[in-house]
C-alpha cells in the first residue's frame, strides 16, 4: 500500500486489470520483480503508467506494455554502467530497457536494476540531507 496515496495501489491494480491477458501477466511479473528490489518503495501512476518512488518521493522506475515489448524506465546511466554487457541486449536508449514480447522477462536482472536505482536515490537523499544540515 502506498504511504503517500492509499489509492495508488488500487490505481495500478486497475491499470493492470485493463490490459490484455498476456500483457497483464508480464506486467505483473515486472511489478513483482520491482517490489522484490524495493519492497518499501511507493507505488504510483506517473506519466500515465505504473511507477515506483522512494526516498522522499524520488522517481525510482516506471514500466509499461507496448505493442512489441515491455519497457522499464530506470532513467539512469548508472544502471547501464554497473550492469554493462548484461543489460546491453535490452537497451533502447540511455534510460529505456526493453524486453521483447514472447521471451521470458529476466526478473532477476530487473530486481538488480531496481536495487541500483534504490542505492542512487538513497545517495541523492543523503546528499540533500547533508546540504540541509550544513545550512546556508
Amino acid at each position: 500500500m502506498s504511504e503517500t496515496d492509499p489509492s495508488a495501489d488500487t490505481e495500478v491494480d486497475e491499470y493492470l486489470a485493463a490490459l490484455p491477458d498476456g500483457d497483464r501477466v508480464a506486467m505483473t511479473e515486472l511489478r513483482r520483480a520491482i517490489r522484490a528490489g524495493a519492497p518499501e518503495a511507493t507505488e504510483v501512476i506517473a506519466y500515465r503508467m505504473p511507477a515506483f518512488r522512494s526516498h522522499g518521493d524520488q522517481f525510482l522506475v516506471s514500466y509499461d506494455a507496448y505493442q512489441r515489448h515491455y519497457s522499464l524506465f530506470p532513467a539512469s546511466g548508472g544502471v547501464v554502467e554497473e550492469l554493462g554487457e548484461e543489460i546491453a541486449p535490452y537497451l533502447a536508449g540511455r534510460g529505456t530497457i526493453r524486453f521483447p514480447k514472447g521471451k521470458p522477462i529476466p526478473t532477476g536482472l530487473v530486481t538488480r536494476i531496481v536495487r541500483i536505482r534504490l542505492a542512487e536515490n538513497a545517495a541523492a537523499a543523503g546528499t540533500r540531507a547533508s546540504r540541509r544540515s550544513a545550512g546556508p
Side-chain angles (χ1 to χ4, degrees):
M1 182 177 215
S2 172
E3 293 172 17
T4 57
D5 181 359
S7 66
D9 289 343
T10 302
E11 289 175 6
V12 174
D13 288 339
E14 290 171 359
Y15 182 95
L16 296 176
L19 294 172
D21 290 344
D23 288 347
R24 184 173 42 259
V25 169
M27 294 281 284
T28 299
E29 229 180 295
L30 272 172
R31 185 186 200 188
R32 283 190 198 122
I34 293 165
R35 281 186 172 159
E40 301 299 318
T42 303
E43 192 166 27
V44 299
I45 294 289
Y47 303 102
R48 297 190 298 199
M49 68 180 84
F52 286 83
R53 296 186 177 280
S54 72
H55 298 88
D57 209 33
Q58 290 183 75
F59 173 81
L60 184 63
V61 296
S62 59
Y63 59 107
D64 210 351
Y66 294 89
Q67 186 175 358
R68 294 187 184 110
H69 63 273
Y70 303 102
S71 285
L72 178 68
F73 303 99
S76 168
V79 167
V80 176
E81 288 175 29
E82 190 162 332
L83 295 174
E85 290 302 312
E86 187 175 1
I87 200 168
Y90 304 107
L91 287 177
R94 203 179 107 203
T96 303
I97 299 165
R98 289 183 181 166
F99 304 111
K101 284 189 177 181
K103 293 188 178 182
I105 293 173
T107 55
L109 179 62
V110 170
T111 299
R112 288 178 45 220
I113 290 165
V114 171
R115 288 182 179 147
I116 293 167
R117 287 289 300 127
L118 199 60
E120 290 174 341
N121 281 2
T127 300
R128 281 195 304 280
S130 295
R131 282 186 279 195
R132 280 194 303 269
S133 65

